Amino acid sequence: ELKVEQNPLFLSMQEGKNYTIYCNYSTTSDRLYWYRQDPGKSLESLFVLLSNGAVKQEGRLMASLDTKARLSTLHITAAVHDLSATYFCAVDGGRMLTFGGGTRLMVKP
Amino acid sequence: GAGVSQTPSNKVTEKGKYVELRCDPISGHTALYWYRQSLGQGPEFLIYFQGTGAADDSGLPNDRFFAVRPEGSVSTLKIQRTERGDSAVYLCASSLLPNYGYTFGSGTRLTVV
């Protein structure tokens, strides 16, 4: 059974700081997604990582995938308040996505 | 349509009642998925359709839950004899190709009182 763990579960940070969210998963997969969810809203796709060593960047967010270590990271650079949301990683197990528990990010002015 | 549409957006029902939740996927998307998201948790897989058939229903929690997609487009998730523990947001997603490029709908928030 595929298990996906994210840490931290909650992250409070100051504007301008950098931080990394970690996503570990238990079985082999070469496809991983990162989503953002605002309160009461649905899931917004941020990144799709398709191969070992994949790195993608959009604005202040950068995601990477290490399939050998079964680890993905979402790095936040110089955080701003607008990034406050819950972030989920999801691993493609072949027939469905298995989501991590989410990281609730709060960026304080 | 432009996106995945789910109706209703909110549903309050009494314990023991029957409910139907509807998902209208992006036109031409052959794959359709249902997920359930409880408060403070990540979405959990319920069922996956490829065309009209359920390719994987291993996530349905029990036989009170059933889903159909009779014409390979719109899908309905049906819950019989609802329980308070069924309260959650039910998310639908579709993709052009199986397991790639998912688009999620806004969800139906189900509250069982």
Side-chain angles (χ1 to χ4, degrees):
Chain A
E1 180 188 349
L2 174 59
K3 294 188 187 300
V4 181
E5 291 188 357
Q6 279 181 245
N7 66 83
L9 297 181
F10 180 76
L11 177 57
S12 179
M13 55 192 298
Q14 296 292 127
E15 279 193 329
K17 298 294 186 182
N18 304 334
Y19 210 84
T20 300
I21 299 170
Y22 297 89
C23 174
N24 292 273
Y25 54 98
S26 62
T27 62
T28 301
S29 174
D30 57 3
R31 191 172 294 167
L32 188 141
Y33 299 78
W34 282 96
Y35 291 91
R36 169 182 172 145
Q37 187 174 43
D38 292 292
K41 303 294 185 182
S42 190
L43 298 165
E44 175 190 352
S45 179
L46 295 174
F47 301 108
V48 181
L49 302 169
L50 299 177
S51 61
N52 187 41
V55 177
K56 289 196 174 179
Q57 183 164 5
E58 180 73 34
R60 301 174 187 275
L61 302 178
M62 183 174 71
S64 66
L65 177 62
D66 182 342
T67 59
K68 294 180 181 177
R70 297 177 188 164
L71 171 69
S72 180
T73 60
L74 181 66
H75 186 73
I76 303 154
T77 302
V80 294
H81 179 67
D82 285 352
L83 290 180
S84 297
T86 299
Y87 293 84
F88 292 97
C89 65
V91 179
D92 193 330
R95 284 180 174 266
M96 79 285 288
L97 295 177
T98 300
F99 285 80
T103 296
R104 186 179 166 199
L105 173 66
M106 185 178 298
V107 181
K108 299 180 178 179
Chain B
V4 177
S5 175
Q6 291 188 247
T7 55
S9 56
N10 279 285
K11 176 72 177 178
V12 180
T13 191
E14 292 181 348
K15 178 176 177 293
K17 298 291 187 182
Y18 168 83
V19 295
E20 290 189 351
L21 311 179
R22 176 186 168 110
C23 174
D24 206 333
I26 292 174
S27 179
H29 280 196
T30 60
L32 185 145
Y33 310 81
W34 285 97
Y35 288 80
R36 178 169 72 173
Q37 186 175 22
S38 299
L39 190 62
Q41 298 182 22
E44 294 178 316
F45 169 78
L46 295 176
I47 187 169
Y48 155 47
F49 286 92
Q50 181 58 39
T52 60
D56 190 329
D57 64 358
S58 61
L60 294 177
N62 52 59
D63 61 7
R64 295 187 298 105
F65 288 74
F66 189 71
V68 296
R69 194 185 185 199
E71 298 178 357
S73 178
V74 172
S75 175
T76 305
L77 178 65
K78 308 180 181 193
I79 310 173
Q80 299 178 321
R81 304 183 304 280
T82 51
E83 300 177 357
R84 293 197 178 89
D86 299 334
S87 297
V89 175
Y90 290 81
L91 294 168
C92 176
S94 70
S95 64
L96 182 60
L97 299 174
N99 306 326
Y100 185 79
Y102 304 84
T103 301
F104 281 84
S106 297
T108 294
R109 181 176 298 277
L110 176 66
T111 304
V112 182
V113 298

